[in-house]
Amino acid sequence: MCRQSASVCLVKSPTRRQRDVVDLAERLRTLPDPRLSRGVRRPFVSVLLVACSAAVAGACSFAALGQWAASAPQDTLARLGARVTTVFGVRVAPSGATVRRLIIRVCPRGLADLPGRDPTGANSLAVDGKTARGSRTSDSPAAHLLAAITDAGQTVTQLRVPGKMNENTCFAALLAPYELKGITVTADALHTQRDHARHLVEDRGAHYAFTMKLNQPTLYAQLKALPWDRVKAKHYDRSSGHGRLETRVVQVLTVIDLGLSFPHAAQVARIVRHRTDRKTGRRGRETVYVLTDLTSRQASPQRIAEIIRAQWVIENRLHFVRDTTFGSFAINHLRDAGHTNIAAALRAMSYEPFVRPLDLLKIG
């Protein structure tokens, strides 16, 4: 099945060799052109390069992509390989409708994987899903995307959850193309499933750290009843952002011999979050539990706290800034260039929108 639709995928998952190709145009050429050769007027890779460049310049919709292309000067279109239409060598940009049609028809799996990052060498990989704003059209529902992001904030891949399927059925497919040995995969309560734990540990040689909430009341009650009042292994953490101050107290217990009914579980952490809204002064408290196959030798309370913080990275670094087709692509390249504030980076690109994005992407 395709990673972003219910149709049969046009290409296999990209190989590591394909993902390691530095040149963007060469990576895009590994994708098959979905159009019939007869009547094709716009170069396939050129149209995709236009979309990539416009996204880095801040374009947030197909209409914005088309507007950026229509405003591009001749030297920019030449760098992008746009079509030449007259004997005078005039370059013509693809329209927004052309860009939209091609992106919709091109293999979504390839678009999701090729511009992404190989997770090899990452400490942890966070998996989470979110409905993309602005993706709803008159003839199709909003796109619900399942994404994986490294602890360094680099998007590895994303998968569109087909209409009648939920995120759980796509979990293994999302991670299938990648080597995960030794990597700790984190996920929220929706993915705290026994099958997911077995798959990661037994089939992929990976570790897991899954959040547990009241969606599984029996297991939650087991974890809540553990002797937390006698736990000495603790870690305290504090952070601020999004208008609130948050303090976390992390306690950890070894559960290997406690008969916990969850595959390969070695430790369980209790995280108590104390939150204060900076504007209203309102305070809140939340308790969540985290199951992991990591032993106490492999992960101390501080390390577990760091791993769980990496799961929240996917909210802070991806969901808040990715709401377009090429959003995650732009995020990766901006972070590669050393930008930590995506909004500020996009503003910097917009000061020279037809030069800086192409320079960043090393086009032409």
Side-chain angles (χ1 to χ4, degrees):
M1 300 296 284
C2 187
R3 295 175 73 80
Q4 290 192 7
S5 71
S7 60
V8 177
C9 201
L10 300 178
V11 295
K12 296 179 180 179
S13 299
T15 63
R16 178 173 296 181
R17 180 187 61 80
Q18 289 174 315
R19 291 193 295 266
D20 286 343
V21 174
V22 176
D23 185 75
L24 176 60
E26 290 302 317
R27 295 181 80 177
L28 293 175
R29 285 192 183 97
T30 64
L31 293 173
D33 189 337
R35 302 169 297 179
L36 298 175
S37 58
R38 182 177 179 181
V40 170
R41 296 187 299 170
R42 309 289 182 186
F44 173 65
V45 172
S46 175
V47 175
L48 295 180
L49 288 176
V50 166
C52 292
S53 302
V56 173
C60 297
S61 65
F62 285 117
L65 295 178
Q67 186 176 5
W68 183 93
S71 303
Q74 285 293 299
D75 57 340
T76 297
L77 294 177
R79 291 177 67 180
L80 294 169
R83 177 188 175 212
V84 178
T85 59
T86 70
V87 293
F88 299 104
V90 176
R91 302 270 181 174
V92 178
S95 66
T98 297
V99 175
R100 183 180 186 275
R101 283 197 300 269
L102 185 57
I103 290 176
I104 288 175
R105 293 180 62 191
V106 76
C107 176
R109 181 170 195 153
L111 282 181
D113 287 336
L114 284 176
R117 292 292 182 271
D118 193 311
T120 302
N123 291 317
S124 63
L125 193 65
V127 174
D128 199 11
K130 182 177 183 289
T131 299
R133 287 195 308 243
S135 60
R136 187 187 305 276
T137 64
S138 59
D139 56 357
S140 64
H144 188 79
L145 302 176
L146 188 63
I149 184 172
T150 69
D151 52 321
Q154 292 285 2
T155 303
V156 173
T157 186
Q158 61 183 8
L159 177 155
R160 180 167 183 169
V161 180
K164 294 185 179 180
M165 299 173 67
N166 60 31
E167 288 185 23
N168 281 331
T169 59
C170 298
F171 183 87
L174 177 78
L175 303 175
Y178 305 100
E179 175 60 55
L180 300 179
K181 187 174 182 178
I183 296 176
T184 300
V185 177
T186 67
D188 61 15
L190 178 64
H191 295 288
T192 304
Q193 305 291 332
R194 290 168 173 80
D195 288 344
H196 291 354
R198 293 191 188 95
H199 172 69
L200 289 173
V201 175
E202 298 172 12
D203 301 334
R204 307 303 305 277
H207 300 289
Y208 67 82
F210 291 161
T211 302
M212 172 61 63
K213 292 184 179 179
L214 287 170
N215 59 319
Q216 296 195 45
T218 301
L219 184 55
Y220 185 90
Q222 282 184 285
L223 302 182
K224 186 178 180 180
L226 293 174
W228 295 108
D229 57 333
R230 291 181 291 188
V231 174
K232 296 181 179 180
K234 296 182 180 180
H235 175 71
Y236 296 88
D237 188 18
R238 173 176 288 189
S239 64
S240 61
H242 305 294
R244 67 179 181 230
L245 178 66
E246 182 169 298
T247 301
R248 293 170 292 276
V249 181
V250 182
Q251 299 173 280
V252 181
L253 271 172
T254 297
V255 294
I256 294 177
D257 297 323
L258 298 184
L260 198 64
S261 59
F262 199 85
H264 306 287
Q267 292 191 95
V268 58
R270 184 174 76 167
I271 303 176
V272 181
R273 302 171 181 163
H274 301 271
R275 295 170 177 167
T276 303
D277 189 298
R278 290 183 178 274
K279 289 184 178 181
T280 65
R282 183 176 300 174
R283 297 181 179 181
R285 172 176 169 168
E286 180 187 26
T287 300
V288 298
Y289 298 93
V290 176
L291 282 166
T292 180
D293 70 307
L294 293 166
T295 66
S296 58
R297 290 187 177 183
Q298 294 172 311
S300 64
Q302 180 178 349
R303 176 58 186 148
I304 290 178
E306 292 171 352
I307 292 171
I308 299 308
R309 283 285 293 168
Q311 171 63 30
W312 300 331
V313 162
I314 203 168
E315 276 292 326
N316 297 330
R317 291 191 172 183
L318 181 62
H319 290 340
F320 288 144
V321 292
R322 183 212 63 197
D323 283 306
T324 67
T325 303
F326 284 81
S328 60
F329 167 84
I331 294 167
N332 277 359
H333 282 273
L334 290 170
R335 293 200 187 282
D336 281 346
H339 295 284
T340 56
N341 186 315
I342 298 301
L346 291 174
R347 286 195 296 271
M349 293 294 109
S350 71
Y351 300 149
E352 293 181 280
F354 303 114
V355 177
R356 293 188 183 185
L358 277 70
D359 290 344
L360 179 74
L361 299 176
K362 298 179 174 59
I363 297 174

